[in-house]
């Protein structure tokens, strides 16, 4: 995180007050969401994409590495979940682990090739690899179903030995995903505040310095990318369950762009929760504005441009700036670091 | 025994020879000054010592162990710490966290994802110690980028100290400091002397001549003069080239 937690005891906590409040609010969603004209499935999507965006932000926000092909790992997770269930064993836990493992493996593979790069070169290589995976997904018709998708994926029951929960109903599945989301957010929060997370954040600020302090920068970059890919894949597995299918479109370049947009709009560069804010806005805008006009992406695109121009730290940044009454100078400095992340210091 | 030794180090960038053949041997506890005009290759020589640049020829020995061509993190782990001519602190981190990153015990835990970094009292105590050593005891919670220039320089040294290095390489530590800052730094180095082996690139003659045990002058990629400050002041070459003026 660029926003420092030095004076806050939250950094040392496993579960923070913010988390508790968020979980509790989310737990009430099925009680009222239909009353405001929306539906529980939107809640499911928001939670899954939030987990995905938080995982993505390990790479973008914490490590400062511009990965623009992250949809690949989300998609690979979805396919791995489906194929595990259809071809190997129809067990929820095994298939979710398979989703994370296969996506993580793909992440390791890619990371081995790109982790000596930074900046725009890094970005290009993530795109190239993303396109390769996307093409493979479309072309391997016999395995993935090609453009038709991998169909007939089931929402396997959540089996805890003594009790087993049926997840076919959207509200039941929502609560399952919420439980996973709660564990996931606590784990990711701990991760970014662990010694490992601090090293990765240090590497974002200066690879040269980190290496001269004795940190194997390359290895940390490989590891954070792989971890991020694994959690993205895990979220992808949940997404396959939600959709009852896996499709190649989440792996496409433009859908990989969505998660970047969500994360930046929300303020992932300055706040742990930024990606969640971004996902919430993006998906609600899609449904609410999308119900009125087909051109909802136009409006979200305009919001994106406005934020990049005027609030490069995203909504979380604007909120924290309002709260802490940061000086303009500090804000501007942070926004230049956001810009540098994307366009500068490549080698 | 020599704590750090370089033998016939040769570095080329493309067809540009930056270091022709540089030898250096620094005894344990010695403070060795390095001077020379801009572009002489001093920083490049440090980059060789610390693994940033692999020499085309020549060797680097740390306490007798060949460390030539090892990557920076390996060399750092073996005990060579450095400060930078152009400061590269972790700007978003507090001063204390900058120091914490230098602690060998923190580095050993660098792959730990299950514990909170902030909760560990040992790290905090060690960090505070290093901060106090450079006079930043009460500035630990300030973000590095909000510190004054002089404090940032001091923080760089605190980070290097936190590494508990065997050899400390300082690249122009006084650059940009006012006379106050230089004096404080001189006092700090005087306290560290003997406890640490120090190699310092420095343009400030007064600073160097008052502190260094020996000084090497690098020019055109070679050591053109070497000796105690006293000897160097007598050195015909140094006097003729009037190095003090254009350094
Ligand atoms: N990575 C590099 N690639 C090409 N040339 C370099 C590189 N690093 C340094 N140089 C050149 O080597 C020469 C010596 O630089 P440097 O070691 O920084 O000198 P000093 O520290 O003595 O002022 C300069 O001409 C510089 O431009
Ligand atoms: Mg230099």
């Amino acid at each position: 995180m660029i926003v420092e937690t030095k004076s806050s005891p939250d950094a040392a906590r496993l579960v923070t007050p913010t988390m508790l409040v968020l979980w509790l609010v989310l737990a009430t969603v099925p009680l009222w969401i239909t009353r405001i004209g929306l539906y529980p499935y939107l809640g499911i999507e928001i939670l899954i994409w939030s987990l995905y965006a938080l995982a993505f932000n390990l790479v973008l926000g914490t490590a400062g590495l511009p990965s623009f092909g992250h949809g690949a790992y989300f998609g690979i997770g979805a396919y791995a979940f489906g194929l595990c269930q259809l071809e190997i064993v129809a067990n929820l836990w095994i298939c979710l682990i398979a989703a994370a493992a296969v996506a993580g493996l793909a992440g390791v593979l890619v990371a081995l090739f790109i982790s000596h790069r930074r900046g725009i070169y890094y970005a290009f290589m993530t795109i190239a690899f993303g396109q390769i995976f996307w093409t493979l997904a479309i072309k391997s018709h016999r395995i993935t179903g090609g453009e038709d998708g991998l169909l007939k994926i089931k929402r396997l029951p959540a089996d805890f030995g003594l009790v087993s929960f049926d997840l076919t109903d959207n509200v039941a599945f929502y609560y399952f995903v919420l439980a996973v989301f709660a564990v996931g957010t606590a784990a990711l929060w701990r991760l970014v505040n662990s010694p490992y997370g601090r090293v990765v954040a240090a590497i974002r600020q200066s690879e040269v310095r980190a290496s001269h302090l004795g940190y194997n920068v390359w290895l940390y970059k490989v590891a954070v990318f792989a971890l991020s890919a694994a959690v993205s894949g895990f979220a992808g597995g949940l997404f396959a369950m939600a959709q009852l299918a896996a499709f190649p479109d989440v792996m496409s370049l433009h859908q990989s762009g969505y998660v970047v947009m969500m994360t930046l709009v929300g303020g992932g560069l300055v706040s742990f929760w930024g990606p969640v804010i971004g996902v919430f806005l993006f998906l609600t805008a899609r449904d609410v504005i999308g119900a009125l006009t087909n051109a909802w992406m136009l409006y979200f695109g305009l919001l994106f441009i406005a934020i990049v121009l005027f609030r490069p730290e995203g909504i979380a940044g604007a909120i924290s700036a309002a709260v802490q009454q940061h000086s303009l100078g500090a804000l501007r400095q942070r926004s230049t670091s956001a810009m540098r992340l994307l366009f500068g210091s490549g080698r | 025994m020599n704590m750090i030794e370089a033998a016939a180090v040769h570095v080329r960038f493309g067809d540009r020879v930056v270091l022709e053949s540089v030898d250096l041997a620094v005894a344990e506890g010695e403070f060795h000054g390095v001077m020379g005009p801009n572009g002489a290759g001093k920083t490049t020589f440090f980059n060789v010592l610390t693994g940033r640049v692999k020499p085309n020829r020549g060797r680097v020995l740390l306490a007798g162990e060949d460390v030539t061509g090892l990557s920076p993190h390996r060399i750092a782990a073996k005990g060579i710490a450095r400060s930078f001519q152009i400061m590269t602190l972790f700007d978003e981190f507090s001063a204390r966290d900058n120091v914490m990153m230098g602690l060998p015990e923190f580095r050993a835990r660098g792959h730990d994802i299950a514990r909170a970094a902030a909760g560990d009292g040992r790290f905090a105590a060690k960090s505070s110690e290093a901060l106090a050593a450079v006079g930043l005891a009460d500035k630990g919670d300030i973000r590095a980028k909000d510190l004054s220039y002089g404090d940032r320089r001091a923080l760089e040294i605190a980070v290097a100290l936190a590494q508990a290095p065997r050899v400390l390489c300082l690249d122009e530590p006084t650059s940009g400091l006012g006379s106050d800052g230089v004096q404080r730094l001189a006092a700090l180095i005087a306290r560290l002397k003997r406890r640490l082996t120090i190699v310092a690139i420095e343009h400030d003659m007064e600073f160097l001549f008052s502190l260094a045990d020996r000084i090497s002058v690098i020019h055109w990629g070679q050591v053109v003069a070497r000796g105690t400050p006293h000897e160097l002041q007598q050195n015909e070459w140094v006097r003729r080239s009037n190095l003090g003026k254009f350094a």
Side-chain angles (χ1 to χ4, degrees):
Chain A
M1 301 302 93
I2 292 177
V3 160
E4 281 317 305
T5 43
K6 57 181 188 284
S7 52
S8 155
D10 284 356
R13 290 195 173 114
L14 189 59
V15 172
T16 66
T18 316
M19 258 181 234
L20 277 178
V21 171
L22 180 68
W23 298 343
L24 285 175
V25 170
L26 288 171
T28 67
V29 164
L31 305 178
W32 47 261
I33 192 159
T34 45
R35 275 189 233 160
I36 57 168
L38 297 169
Y39 44 96
Y41 188 79
L42 177 62
I44 294 172
E45 275 188 297
I46 288 177
L47 289 180
I48 293 174
W49 277 78
S50 289
L51 190 59
Y52 168 33
L54 283 167
F56 166 72
N57 201 40
L58 281 181
V59 169
L60 186 75
T62 308
L65 296 169
S67 169
F68 296 150
H70 236 63
Y73 313 101
F74 190 60
I76 287 172
Y79 283 119
F81 181 86
L83 289 169
C84 169
Q85 168 185 131
L86 298 172
E87 309 287 340
I88 302 171
V89 51
N91 176 294
L92 176 65
W93 312 117
I94 294 176
C95 291
L96 280 176
I97 289 169
V102 176
L105 207 66
V108 171
L109 210 72
V110 171
L112 290 177
F113 281 98
I114 66 177
S115 294
H116 57 296
R117 302 280 182 195
R118 272 181 293 160
I120 204 85
Y121 298 94
Y122 191 92
F124 271 129
M125 291 180 81
T126 58
I127 291 175
F129 277 104
Q131 292 293 92
I132 291 171
F133 285 125
W134 174 64
T135 312
L136 284 176
I138 289 180
K139 298 290 177 200
S140 329
H141 202 281
R142 230 179 294 160
I143 303 168
T144 63
E147 307 218 36
D148 301 330
L150 184 65
L151 306 175
K152 301 202 179 86
I153 295 175
K154 287 198 192 70
R155 290 189 191 166
L156 301 168
D159 192 349
F160 292 92
L162 294 177
V163 277
S164 173
F165 296 99
D166 178 45
L167 302 178
T168 43
D169 173 60
N170 271 343
V171 171
F173 188 53
Y174 176 87
Y175 281 110
F176 173 75
V177 174
L178 177 57
V180 171
F181 175 82
V183 174
T185 45
L188 289 171
W189 174 259
R190 172 47 58 88
L191 179 75
V192 301
N193 288 299
S194 69
Y196 173 80
R198 301 303 283 171
V199 175
V200 171
I203 288 171
R204 176 192 72 227
Q205 296 168 67
S206 172
E207 289 194 9
V208 170
R209 186 169 191 88
S211 67
H212 283 293
L213 291 181
Y215 298 97
N216 186 343
V217 169
W218 180 83
L219 197 61
Y220 279 91
K221 284 166 78 176
V222 170
V224 75
F225 194 87
L227 264 168
S228 167
V231 180
S232 301
F234 189 90
L238 294 173
F239 196 53
M241 273 220 272
Q243 290 192 310
L244 305 173
F247 300 104
D249 52 349
V250 290
M251 301 172 75
S252 67
L253 182 57
H254 87 272
Q255 289 226 23
S256 286
Y258 287 172
V259 78
V260 180
M261 262 175 65
M262 292 166 170
T263 302
L264 289 178
V265 165
L269 298 186
V270 300
S271 157
F272 178 82
W273 296 108
V276 179
I277 298 173
V279 168
F280 172 79
L281 275 179
F282 186 97
L283 293 179
T284 358
R286 182 198 66 188
D287 281 13
V288 174
I289 308 177
L292 307 172
T293 159
N294 273 335
W296 76 273
M297 224 8 229
L298 171 71
Y299 295 99
F300 199 84
L302 288 174
L303 174 68
F304 181 70
I305 292 168
I307 283 187
V308 167
L309 287 179
F310 304 113
R311 277 267 177 248
E313 332 171 72
I315 294 177
I319 295 171
S320 85
V323 169
Q324 297 173 24
Q325 300 215 318
H326 265 306
S327 72
L328 259 180
L331 269 178
R332 213 167 276 138
Q333 245 174 322
R334 284 204 202 151
S335 49
T336 42
S337 68
M339 291 299 167
R340 203 167 49 220
L341 175 80
L342 295 178
F343 305 112
S345 69
R347 193 187 282 165
Chain B
M1 188 180 37
N2 287 322
M3 186 48 96
I4 187 153
E5 198 173 329
V9 166
H10 177 85
V11 173
R12 270 190 319 266
F13 293 117
D15 53 6
R16 171 149 163 48
V17 174
V18 172
L19 295 180
E20 185 57 58
S21 175
V22 175
D23 295 282
L24 183 81
V26 181
E28 185 166 4
E30 179 179 343
F31 182 119
H32 198 104
V34 174
M35 50 190 247
N38 279 324
K42 304 181 298 294
T43 296
T44 303
F45 181 60
F46 265 25
N47 285 341
V48 170
L49 295 184
T50 57
R52 178 116 250 117
V53 166
K54 303 203 189 319
N56 300 84
R57 283 200 306 274
R59 295 202 305 158
V60 177
L61 304 178
L62 175 66
E65 182 190 352
D66 194 334
V67 296
T68 321
L70 291 188
S71 43
H73 72 270
R74 286 269 180 73
I75 290 192
K78 285 185 184 296
I80 303 185
R82 75 178 291 180
S83 75
F84 291 84
Q85 183 173 359
I86 298 162
M87 273 189 287
T88 51
L89 291 162
F90 300 127
D91 273 343
E92 308 290 342
F93 282 0
S94 67
R96 181 172 289 104
D97 280 4
N98 266 277
V99 174
M100 184 177 75
M101 297 303 301
L103 297 171
E105 44 275 71
F106 186 84
R107 186 174 62 217
R109 287 258 310 270
H111 292 283
D112 187 343
I113 59 171
R115 266 173 292 193
D120 200 310
R122 259 180 335 134
F123 299 152
K126 285 258 177 159
S127 307
S128 298
E129 211 175 285
L131 285 170
V134 301
L136 292 178
D138 52 351
K139 294 185 176 157
D141 289 329
I142 300 179
R143 269 204 304 199
K145 73 169 169 204
D146 297 329
L147 289 171
S148 71
Y149 186 87
D151 285 347
R152 285 167 61 81
R153 278 275 171 214
L155 178 56
E156 261 218 297
I157 295 187
V159 175
L161 293 179
Q163 290 174 264
R166 294 202 275 177
V167 179
L168 178 56
C169 297
L170 302 171
D171 196 346
E172 307 203 10
T174 70
S175 98
L177 290 182
S179 59
D180 264 17
V182 174
Q183 266 174 22
R184 271 196 292 151
L185 184 66
L188 172 64
I189 303 266
R191 267 182 283 134
L192 294 175
K193 252 183 92 163
R194 302 286 165 258
R195 289 196 280 140
L196 265 178
T197 307
I198 303 174
V199 189
I201 297 172
E202 192 44 70
H203 282 311
D204 186 323
M205 292 293 144
E206 214 181 301
F207 179 87
L208 209 53
F209 278 68
S210 66
L211 284 167
D213 298 307
R214 289 189 306 150
I215 295 170
S216 296
V217 183
I218 295 186
H219 202 353
W220 300 305
Q222 300 182 61
V223 175
V224 293
R226 171 174 294 151
T228 63
H230 183 72
E231 283 164 359
L232 270 194
Q233 274 157 345
Q234 313 300 314
N235 181 290
E236 197 49 35
W237 196 95
V238 171
R239 286 159 64 132
R240 240 188 321 146
S241 66
N242 210 355
L243 236 161
K245 268 194 189 149
F246 73 93

